[in-house]
Amino acid sequence: MAQASIATAAEIRLPDWLAAWPLPAAHVSDADAMWLAVAIARENVARGSGGPFGACLRDDSDGEIISAGVNLAIASGNPVLHAETVALSLAGRRLQARGGVTLFTSCEPCIMCLGAAHWAGVKQIVSAASKADAEAAGFCEGAGTRELRAEMSARGVVFADGLLRDEGAAALRLYVESGGAIYGPRG
């Protein structure tokens, strides 16, 4: 019987269009950072390169966008490559060198992405569409987010929900209308 080998590396490969996307300079406002997260979510759907979720990280000290990510779970075959985990992973060691970062995401993060943000030391999480919007589109966001949010809030993480909610929800609807596959855990 042949022995299976263990994978030794995983790669995050942004779509070419996102790798070439010019990130805004310093002093980016909350609204502009959220516009970026929603715009790349919509572009990910329009180009058929992944799910309807986008995220970016902003350095709290100077307002610079330090990374951006889109959902690559289906495109990569890697279920942990949600927009938030992609943005956090691409920021990597730069996160520790910063005084704090804010995560902007086109939809309220699932529990996996909340956990990743917690471990990365994110100080604030700003979301557009809600968990209810994602579930209305057919995604099963799972349990536990309320409890983890409460724990993170108790440790000083600030949550701001609903910034550009209609635009974030529109990206979810566009994905469904374009025939995008609903993926993730089933209720």
Side-chain angles (χ1 to χ4, degrees), residues 31-129:
D32 287 343
M34 185 57 75
W35 275 113
L36 172 63
V38 171
I40 62 177
R42 289 183 62 87
E43 192 71 14
N44 208 35
V45 172
R47 291 184 181 250
S49 50
F53 304 97
C56 64
L57 284 168
R58 184 186 68 195
D59 183 325
D60 293 335
S61 66
D62 63 7
E64 176 190 3
I65 299 295
I66 61 171
S67 69
V70 290
N71 185 287
L72 302 171
I74 289 179
S76 67
N78 186 336
V80 302
L81 293 185
H82 291 196
E84 299 90 340
T85 59
V86 168
L88 288 164
S89 295
L90 293 174
R93 290 191 174 130
R94 292 182 294 165
L95 292 171
Q96 275 52 40
R98 312 249 172 197
V101 296
T102 298
L103 173 64
F104 291 87
T105 182
S106 65
C107 187
E108 192 177 335
C110 71
I111 194 163
M112 176 184 69
C113 294
L114 280 175
H118 176 70
W119 281 100
V122 170
K123 303 293 185 201
Q124 182 175 4
I125 299 173
V126 182
S127 60

Side-chain angles (χ1 to χ4, degrees), residues 79 82 110-111 138-143 182-187:
H82 291 196
C110 71
I111 194 163
F139 291 96
C140 178
E141 294 299 281
I182 302 300
Y183 51 89
R186 297 292 170 237

